Amino acid sequence: MSSTFKQIYNLLKHTEHSPIEDYLTEIAAPIFEKEEILLSFLKRFANKHFLDIHDIKVATQKTYVKLETHLSDSRPDLVITYRNRDERHLIFIENKLGSEEGYLQLQRYYDHLQRHAISNYKTHLFYITQYYDPKNIEKGKNKKNDTSFNQLQWYEVFNWLKQFEDDFYCKQVIKYMEEIRLNKSRKFLPQDIYAIQNMSKTITMLDDCLGGKVNESFTRFFGKPKQWTHRTYQL
């Protein structure tokens, strides 16, 4: 049986614009309301070690009015505030699943966070993507209260979250992440090694299948065949 999240998304995906990024943000947001999970996330991905945090608040799609140097308002996917003893902390998380960063999007988020840093907030910006997407942020001159910037991919979040799968809600989020293939493993299994060892033989068989009469017929009906590197797509 599919997860609850998968079933709900199946109802939503037929809308004009697929809301998969916003949908993932909404279902992931509640996990950060738990002190234990937020502490673990910060330790793992920001190298921040806290013994106690409190007053955690999580919001999604919160709009920040544009600054004087910006062309548009900003709306981070996820906004988290909390206190570490007397320190106030503010986190922006931007989630991307295949789509690209908006115009100066991360830079605008950084600028907003820096304004809060001036007001004695400790600020953090996370950019979580499905695919590797390196970014550079133009940082200000105030190094003392500079906003930390951390990039990671969703498979890293998946692997980290697995430690909390005894929690019913986390288990459902993990299951949904598996269903939308955010659990890409970087470990080669024996069958993967076997496939690599036999790749030459497989490619030769593929060439034989696409050659001779097949190649002649496809050329006659569809024109010149695709290049060698696109053989699997052509097959």
Side-chain angles (χ1 to χ4, degrees), residues 50 107 118 132 214:
F50 302 122
Q107 187 64 53
I118 294 174
Y132 182 63
V214 174

Side-chain angles (χ1 to χ4, degrees), residues 31-32 36-37 40-41 44-45 153-179 182-185 187:
I31 68 177
F32 293 103
E36 176 190 6
I37 294 178
S40 176
F41 179 84
R44 170 66 180 82
F45 296 114
Q153 290 179 251
W154 273 109
Y155 81 89
E156 297 176 272
V157 178
F158 174 85
N159 291 335
W160 158 76
L161 193 58
K162 288 279 286 182
Q163 66 183 299
F164 300 106
E165 60 185 346
D166 288 341
D167 179 281
F168 176 77
Y169 189 83
C170 287
K171 185 175 182 178
Q172 291 297 305
V173 175
I174 291 168
K175 186 175 182 181
Y176 177 67
M177 292 176 72
E178 290 175 336
E179 290 171 334
L182 295 182
N183 59 328
K184 293 186 296 183
S185 173
K187 293 181 179 180

Side-chain angles (χ1 to χ4, degrees), residues 180-222:
I180 61 175
R181 300 181 180 179
L182 295 182
N183 59 328
K184 293 186 296 183
S185 173
R186 267 40 179 190
K187 293 181 179 180
F188 285 90
L189 301 176
Q191 56 266 37
D192 300 320
I193 303 299
Y194 180 79
I196 293 173
Q197 290 173 334
N198 289 273
M199 187 178 296
S200 178
K201 177 183 176 183
T202 304
I203 290 176
T204 300
M205 292 172 62
L206 184 57
D207 287 339
D208 290 341
C209 289
L210 294 176
K213 293 182 179 180
V214 174
N215 184 49
E216 179 186 358
S217 298
F218 270 73
T219 301
R220 179 158 28 94
F221 287 109
F222 306 112

Side-chain angles (χ1 to χ4, degrees), residues 31-41 51-54 56:
I31 68 177
F32 293 103
E33 294 178 354
K34 287 196 170 185
E35 179 183 326
E36 176 190 6
I37 294 178
L38 182 57
L39 281 170
S40 176
F41 179 84
L51 296 178
D52 174 54
I53 60 176
H54 54 94
I56 301 171

Side-chain angles (χ1 to χ4, degrees), residues 20-177:
I20 187 169
E21 288 180 358
D22 291 343
Y23 183 75
L24 178 61
T25 299
E26 294 294 338
I27 67 170
I31 68 177
F32 293 103
E33 294 178 354
K34 287 196 170 185
E35 179 183 326
E36 176 190 6
I37 294 178
L38 182 57
L39 281 170
S40 176
F41 179 84
L42 293 169
K43 180 179 179 181
R44 170 66 180 82
F45 296 114
N47 197 29
K48 302 293 183 183
H49 299 265
F50 302 122
L51 296 178
D52 174 54
I53 60 176
H54 54 94
D55 293 344
I56 301 171
K57 294 181 176 61
V58 180
T60 59
Q61 311 299 333
K62 183 177 180 179
T63 299
Y64 289 81
V65 178
K66 65 180 181 180
L67 302 178
E68 59 273 11
T69 57
H70 295 174
L71 296 178
S72 64
D73 295 341
S74 293
R75 192 175 66 174
D77 287 323
L78 197 59
V79 176
I80 304 172
T81 59
Y82 64 93
R83 285 181 176 271
N84 173 44
R85 297 180 180 174
D86 294 330
E87 290 181 345
R88 296 181 298 174
H89 288 253
L90 175 62
I91 298 174
F92 284 1
I93 297 180
E94 183 60 22
N95 162 31
K96 294 295 183 187
L97 294 179
S99 63
E100 297 180 350
E101 176 198 3
Y103 180 69
L104 295 177
Q105 188 176 18
L106 294 175
Q107 187 64 53
R108 285 187 279 112
Y109 293 172
Y110 174 83
D111 293 343
H112 278 288
L113 288 169
Q114 280 297 92
R115 288 292 180 94
H116 283 80
I118 294 174
S119 301
N120 293 321
Y121 275 87
K122 301 295 183 181
T123 54
H124 319 272
L125 175 58
F126 290 91
Y127 184 50
I128 310 178
T129 57
Q130 183 174 8
Y131 306 108
Y132 182 63
D133 183 23
K135 297 292 180 181
N136 290 315
I137 299 292
E138 184 179 339
K139 297 194 173 185
K141 298 179 181 180
N142 187 0
K143 301 300 181 182
K144 182 178 179 181
N145 292 319
D146 202 4
T147 297
S148 64
F149 176 57
N150 301 90
Q151 289 188 242
L152 55 149
Q153 290 179 251
W154 273 109
Y155 81 89
E156 297 176 272
V157 178
F158 174 85
N159 291 335
W160 158 76
L161 193 58
K162 288 279 286 182
Q163 66 183 299
F164 300 106
E165 60 185 346
D166 288 341
D167 179 281
F168 176 77
Y169 189 83
C170 287
K171 185 175 182 178
Q172 291 297 305
V173 175
I174 291 168
K175 186 175 182 181
Y176 177 67
M177 292 176 72

